[in-house]
C-alpha cells in the first residue's frame, strides 16, 4: 500500500513558477514509478509527466515540455514537479500518482495509487 499527499499548489501569475511536492509512504515506494496528472474543470484527467522508479527516465506531455521538470528523491520518499513559465491553461488540480512498475507511461489505468490533489491556478 502506498499513500500519496500533494502539496505546493496555489495561485501564481502567468509566466511564474510553482513547485509541487508529493510525499509518499509505503514499503515498496522506491520500486514504484510515479507521475503527475492534472484535471481542469469539465475535462478529463490528463497525463503531465512521469518518472521511473530509479529516476533515470522521465517523460512529459508535449504541452509542458521545456517548462516542467519532474524529479524524485527516493531517500526522502518525495517527488516534485517544478513548473516554470506557467500559463493559464495550466490551471488544474494536480495529482500525484504511483504505479507498481519500473516505468510509468501516460495511461491513467496504469497507476495504482493517487494523492488527493492540489489546486494550481494561473492568472493572466
Amino acid at each position: 500500500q502506498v499513500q500519496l499527499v500533494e502539496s505546493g499548489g496555489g495561485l501564481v501569475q502567468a509566466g511564474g513558477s510553482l513547485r509541487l511536492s508529493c510525499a509518499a509512504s509505503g514499503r515498496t515506494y522506491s520500486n514504484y514509478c510515479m507521475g503527475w496528472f492534472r484535471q481542469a474543470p469539465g475535462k478529463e484527467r490528463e497525463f503531465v509527466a512521469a518518472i521511473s522508479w530509479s529516476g533515470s527516465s522521465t517523460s512529459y506531455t508535449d504541452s509542458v515540455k521545456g517548462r516542467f521538470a519532474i524529479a524524485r528523491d527516493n531517500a526522502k520518499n518525495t517527488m516534485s514537479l517544478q513548473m516554470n513559465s506557467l500559463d493559464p491553461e495550466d490551471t488544474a488540480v494536480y495529482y500525484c500518482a504511483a504505479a507498481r512498475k519500473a516505468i510509468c507511461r501516460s495511461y491513467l489505468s496504469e497507476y495504482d495509487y493517487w494523492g488527493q490533489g492540489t489546486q494550481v491556478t494561473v492568472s493572466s
Side-chain angles (χ1 to χ4, degrees):
Q1 185 75 17
V2 175
Q3 295 79 43
L4 306 173
V5 180
E6 304 95 334
S7 63
L11 176 65
V12 64
Q13 293 183 347
S17 298
L18 204 61
R19 184 176 185 271
L20 305 182
S21 294
C22 176
S25 61
R27 182 175 59 84
T28 61
Y29 176 75
S30 64
N31 300 121
Y32 283 53
C33 63
M34 301 186 73
W36 288 97
F37 287 76
R38 64 187 181 186
Q39 187 168 23
K43 297 184 178 180
E44 66 179 8
R45 193 168 299 185
E46 68 171 348
F47 171 77
V48 177
I51 188 166
S52 64
W53 72 269
S54 67
S56 62
S57 178
T58 60
S59 62
Y60 300 88
T61 191
D62 287 344
S63 64
V64 308
K65 288 181 179 178
R67 300 189 298 121
F68 290 10
I70 188 171
R72 68 190 296 169
D73 186 340
N74 289 345
K76 296 182 178 180
N77 290 330
T78 58
M79 179 182 66
S80 66
L81 183 68
Q82 178 65 47
M83 305 184 295
N84 299 322
S85 300
L86 284 164
D87 186 273
E89 293 181 354
D90 297 315
T91 296
V93 176
Y94 283 71
Y95 296 90
C96 172
R100 299 188 298 269
K101 59 177 64 179
I103 299 175
C104 285
R105 296 172 179 172
S106 63
Y107 304 104
L108 279 165
S109 62
E110 292 189 350
Y111 292 80
D112 303 293
Y113 303 100
W114 296 85
Q116 84 286 358
T118 185
Q119 176 71 48
V120 172
T121 302
V122 184
S123 64
S124 60

